[in-house]
Amino acid sequence: MTLISLAVRLKSRAHFSLKRNVSGKSGAVVGITLGRRTQARQRLGIIIAGFAVIFLVIMGRLIQYGLERPVETAWINYTSHAVASRPDIVDRHGELLATDVNMVSLYAEPRKIVDADEVVEKLATVIPNLDWRDTHRKLRSGTAFQWLRRQLTPRQQADILTLGIPGIGFRPEKRRFYPGGSTASHILGHVNVDNQGLQGMERYIDQQGLADLRAAGLTGNTPLEPVKLSIDIRVQSIVREAVARAMIDYQAEAAGAVVLDVESGEVIAMASVPDYDPNQPSRTLPDGNIDKEYEKGWFNRMSNATFEMGSTFKSFTLAMGLDAGKISLNSVVDASRPIRMGGFTIKDFRGKYRPLTIPEVFQYSSNIGTAAVADMVGIEGHQAFLTKLGLLSKMETELPGVATPTQPRSWKKINSVTISFGHGVATTPLQTAVAAAALLNGGTLISPTFLPRSPETAKAQAQQVLQPTTSADMRYLYNRNGQLGSGRHAQVPGFHVGGKTGTADKVINGRYATNLNFNAFLAGFPMDNPRYIVLSIVDAPLTGERGGRQAAHTAAPVVREIISRAGSFLGVQPRFGPEREPHLVADF
């Protein structure tokens, strides 16, 4: 083998060996590359699968929201959170007493709230006394709807809008507005934040069908016919001012009065103090608690409470004796000595201690003489007479919450005697006035009403409970006492006021207080042809005119002020001239 051929062969072998090595390395590289590609594909598949799952979850939630939210929102807007309209309330002359005003309220959709803390902080800059904890709880509730603040002012709405808070909004609402404030609060009552009647005539209106219309969704923006009341807001203002002044001047716990039409039973005015502003039925103290003292003004003493009416009840006792024929105006009863009965002694306050005629019994307010008349009629007759006048049963009228009178479970002679002069039976002042109207209007009992009533309707439902002659005798007694007796303190020149005082020991926890009185004055005018009853009460006065605490010095002046200021509004023309003493015609 030549040297050249050997070199060629060795070169060929080296090239082949090198080629084989290169081929081996290239195959390894290719295998590695293929493995990496497989892993990449697997990872990419996992990522795609993850994104697909997330996408499906989001799509599912969107579908869920798409199906649920429209239904939920519709339910929020138009059913449970809708505030219904109410009819206006006007007085007998059409003067506005209550109406709806348009307001806005702030709500939140907690599911749309991103940062509850930030929302609370921003709202607190606009809304005073915002409850941070309660508001934060509502925003974090995860519900679809939450009220945050009802009935905002337009300025507050504008300020909140500038904050640009997502997830909150405003909803138009109605708010009840009472132009007269507290003037007729116990007659009108008030509503809650959802415009639902809670007390007074507002509640009565709901009970007459408005609540059913609201439930049926028929009280949205549809105007409703105004509800006209029997009251005269001019007279109502005078009555409320008179009793409020009396409570302050006489340092009394409470006071009240009512003006009643004797022919129709219409309540022209009625007020009880303390009272409240129905525009703000409750009040919050600085410490966040409800002002319980303010809420005492909700209590209407004229119809929602009963009292022992004292000597005003002597009117009914004498009317009972006259109607039963046991006495006449010419009769004389022995009032010369106290009556001892069942361990009790019945005596007169500043008594005359002599025989008295029936007019004198009324003028001097003799307990002894009145008890003698009750004894003539008897226990059963006495109870039946007061029942007939409606003084022992719950009064029927439009105002809710009327109190039920109290009486002894079993009447005994001592009960009949004490009830004859106003102790032992408790009635509401309003029903006392209603019964007194029957004494003066010819003897017909007419249920009271706070709605207008025509003479024809009143006549159709009137019940004859006294003989006309008995009513004529009672007019004489009232007129005489207005001129010669305690009624002088309520006399108004030209209006010929007659009446009867009532001073009773105040009952506290079932016992009579010896140093506190419940005073009343029961008046009618003009006595030549009575058209109105005016009854006033003053509870526990500490002083009165000329320092006296009796009814003549507290309750009677209230009636005097009311009649002197309101008589012309009531259509009573004053007549001036010399007063003549009432003339008594003797029976033969």
Side-chain angles (χ1 to χ4, degrees):
M1 180 180 296
T2 65
L3 185 59
I4 294 173
S5 62
L6 180 61
V8 170
R9 184 177 292 181
L10 289 173
K11 185 177 180 181
S12 300
R13 286 180 180 178
H15 176 75
F16 175 79
S17 177
L18 179 60
K19 183 177 181 181
R20 187 174 61 182
N21 290 337
V22 171
S23 298
K25 290 181 179 180
S26 177
V29 172
V30 170
I32 291 172
T33 302
L34 290 174
R36 289 178 176 175
R37 288 180 179 178
T38 301
Q39 290 178 355
R41 288 192 185 100
Q42 290 175 350
R43 291 172 181 171
L44 182 60
I46 293 172
I47 293 173
I48 292 173
F51 276 110
V53 171
I54 295 173
F55 176 76
L56 290 174
V57 171
I58 294 174
M59 176 174 272
R61 293 295 290 172
L62 289 174
I63 293 173
Q64 182 182 0
Y65 282 136
L67 292 176
E68 292 182 359
R69 292 297 290 258
V71 176
E72 193 174 354
T73 302
W75 177 74
I76 291 170
N77 286 339
Y78 302 112
T79 55
S80 65
H81 299 287
V83 176
S85 297
R86 300 182 65 84
D88 288 349
I89 302 178
V90 298
D91 82 337
R92 64 190 301 115
H93 301 298
E95 292 296 324
L96 187 65
L97 303 178
T99 188
D100 284 345
V101 294
N102 294 322
M103 302 289 289
V104 293
S105 291
L106 178 67
Y107 71 90
E109 297 179 81
R111 294 175 181 174
K112 294 183 179 180
I113 298 298
V114 177
D115 188 342
D117 295 329
E118 181 184 10
V119 173
V120 174
E121 290 178 4
K122 287 184 176 181
L123 291 178
T125 63
V126 177
I127 302 176
N129 303 321
L130 180 70
D131 189 329
W132 285 48
R133 179 177 297 179
D134 184 62
T135 305
H136 190 272
R137 178 187 59 80
K138 291 178 179 179
L139 295 176
R140 300 287 293 174
S141 64
T143 57
F145 182 94
Q146 287 286 345
W147 285 120
L148 298 183
R149 180 59 66 93
R150 307 294 289 273
Q151 300 175 349
L152 295 173
T153 65
R155 177 60 182 270
Q156 288 174 323
Q157 181 189 17
D159 290 344
I160 293 173
L161 285 172
T162 61
L163 297 176
I165 304 174
I168 67 170
F170 300 92
R171 180 156 294 136
E173 287 196 300
K174 302 290 185 182
R175 179 178 180 179
R176 203 63 164 165
F177 176 62
Y178 303 89
S182 58
T183 301
S185 57
H186 286 124
I187 296 176
L188 297 174
H190 63 271
V191 301
N192 63 12
V193 71
D194 291 317
N195 230 19
Q196 298 170 339
L198 296 182
Q199 290 191 6
M201 294 302 291
E202 293 282 25
R203 185 177 176 187
Y204 169 79
I205 292 170
D206 275 21
Q207 293 172 341
Q208 298 308 299
L210 183 63
D212 295 332
L213 290 175
R214 181 188 297 111
L218 300 177
T219 59
N221 296 318
T222 305
L224 301 173
E225 190 71 20
V227 176
K228 180 177 286 190
L229 302 186
S230 62
I231 71 170
D232 185 328
I233 192 60
R234 301 170 301 178
V235 180
Q236 178 68 30
S237 298
I238 292 170
V239 170
R240 198 267 173 184
E241 289 175 7
V243 298
R245 185 179 296 108
M247 188 179 77
I248 295 173
D249 291 349
Y250 305 146
Q251 303 173 37
E253 289 183 12
V258 61
V259 179
L260 183 75
D261 188 314
V262 303
E263 296 295 339
S264 66
E266 293 172 296
V267 177
I268 307 301
M270 185 179 75
S272 171
V273 292
D275 54 11
Y276 68 104
D277 185 350
N279 293 303
Q280 187 186 9
S282 62
R283 183 181 294 165
T284 303
L285 297 171
D287 60 5
N289 294 320
I290 299 298
D291 188 349
K292 297 297 183 182
E293 193 68 26
Y294 179 76
E295 289 188 351
K296 290 181 180 179
W298 291 6
F299 188 47
N300 178 10
R301 288 167 171 78
M302 299 305 293
S303 63
N304 300 146
T306 60
F307 303 95
E308 293 188 356
M309 297 300 294
S311 293
T312 59
F313 251 57
K314 292 172 182 174
S315 306
F316 307 120
T317 304
L318 296 187
M320 174 181 68
L322 291 166
D323 206 58
K326 300 297 183 180
I327 59 171
S328 69
L329 294 182
N330 293 312
S331 298
V332 177
V333 295
D334 185 10
S336 59
R337 63 179 64 88
I339 301 174
R340 291 177 175 83
M341 183 181 301
F344 297 93
T345 300
I346 311 301
K347 57 185 179 180
D348 287 344
F349 179 72
R350 297 175 182 173
K352 300 301 179 181
Y353 301 104
R354 62 175 175 81
L356 299 175
T357 64
I358 295 303
E360 288 177 327
V361 169
F362 198 70
Q363 176 184 346
Y364 300 132
S365 198
S366 171
N367 295 335
I368 300 171
T370 307
V373 174
D375 189 44
M376 296 178 194
V377 176
I379 299 173
E380 292 183 2
H382 193 179
Q383 188 174 12
F385 184 80
L386 295 183
T387 300
K388 183 170 62 173
L389 287 180
L391 290 168
L392 301 182
S393 55
K394 186 176 180 179
M395 176 179 59
E396 294 184 4
T397 188
E398 297 85 9
L399 282 187
V402 173
T404 301
T406 60
Q407 60 175 310
R409 292 184 178 180
S410 177
W411 281 45
K412 299 179 180 179
K413 187 172 183 178
I414 184 63
N415 300 124
S416 179
V417 167
T418 58
I419 290 170
S420 72
F421 49 80
H423 287 272
V425 161
T427 65
T428 67
L430 178 57
Q431 70 186 129
T432 304
V434 171
L439 302 184
L440 303 183
N441 69 3
T444 60
L445 183 66
I446 306 171
S447 63
T449 181
F450 291 86
L451 300 173
R453 178 185 285 161
S454 66
E456 295 76 20
T457 302
K459 186 176 181 180
Q461 74 168 47
Q463 302 177 27
Q464 193 73 34
V465 293
L466 296 175
Q467 301 176 51
T469 54
T470 301
S471 180
D473 289 343
M474 293 308 302
R475 288 196 294 271
Y476 168 81
L477 292 177
Y478 265 63
N479 188 32
R480 185 176 189 275
N481 197 51
Q483 296 184 30
L484 306 176
S486 58
R488 300 191 313 273
H489 298 275
Q491 193 59 249
V492 180
F495 287 99
H496 307 283
V497 181
K500 182 72 185 77
T501 53
T503 302
D505 292 335
K506 183 177 173 64
V507 179
I508 301 177
N509 298 325
R511 296 180 177 273
Y512 290 107
T514 57
N515 60 338
L516 292 175
N517 298 333
F518 178 83
N519 297 338
F521 189 80
L522 184 56
F525 83 102
M527 286 313 303
D528 55 338
N529 182 25
R531 293 179 55 187
Y532 298 99
I533 289 287
V534 182
L535 171 65
S536 67
I537 63 169
V538 180
D539 189 3
L542 299 182
T543 186
E545 285 190 350
R546 303 172 187 172
R549 293 191 296 113
Q550 294 78 26
H553 303 289
T554 56
V558 175
V559 170
R560 181 181 66 220
E561 179 179 352
I562 292 171
I563 294 176
S564 64
R565 296 177 58 192
S568 59
F569 292 133
L570 293 169
V572 177
Q573 189 72 25
R575 293 187 299 102
F576 296 96
E579 289 281 355
R580 294 182 302 172
E581 183 177 343
H583 179 63
L584 173 62
V585 179
D587 293 335
F588 296 98

